[in-house]
Amino acid sequence: MNRKLVVFVPPEALDAVRDAVFAAGAGRIGEYERCSWYTEGTGTFLGGKGANPTIDERGREERVPELRLETVYPAELEEAVVRALREAHPYEAPAFDLYPLA
């Protein structure tokens, strides 16, 4: 059964994150590979005392351009896909969702 990954990524990291999750087995639909969809948005965050933000500094709320990236993957590859995502993503704590598909 397939599942869907949704992750928020800065525009300059899009290709690296896509390449990593695709190499882990995501993005295949039938005879097609590297299938994904993305759109622009704005992410917000405020780093606490123990944070080490990639962008700007602790204690100040930030608004940054991000892309919402979506792709599918086989359920049995979830661990590998999530590991690849975390290794390729530039954020200390990347925001992502995993959904079952009907």
Side-chain angles (χ1 to χ4, degrees):
M1 174 173 267
N2 278 341
R3 295 179 58 87
K4 181 185 274 191
L5 165 69
V6 176
V7 60
F8 300 91
V9 61
E12 63 275 8
L14 177 67
D15 290 337
V17 172
R18 287 179 74 240
D19 289 345
V21 298
F22 293 157
R28 293 190 179 109
I29 301 174
E31 295 298 316
Y32 296 87
E33 295 183 18
R34 298 181 62 85
C35 300
S36 69
W37 181 84
Y38 64 88
T39 189
E40 296 177 5
T42 302
T44 66
F45 64 89
L46 186 144
K49 290 181 183 179
N52 185 19
T54 302
I55 299 169
D56 217 26
E57 59 190 65
R58 291 185 298 257
R60 189 169 106 186
E61 184 174 347
E62 296 300 322
R63 288 179 172 82
V64 296
E66 290 182 322
L67 301 174
R68 175 187 169 116
L69 170 64
E70 300 186 22
T71 191
V72 296
Y73 63 93
E76 63 270 14
L77 297 180
E78 184 166 285
E79 186 176 321
V81 169
V82 170
R83 183 174 43 251
L85 162 68
R86 288 184 187 277
E87 290 174 0
H89 202 290
Y91 289 174
E92 182 178 16
F96 64 93
D97 300 312
L98 306 172
Y99 298 100
L101 298 177

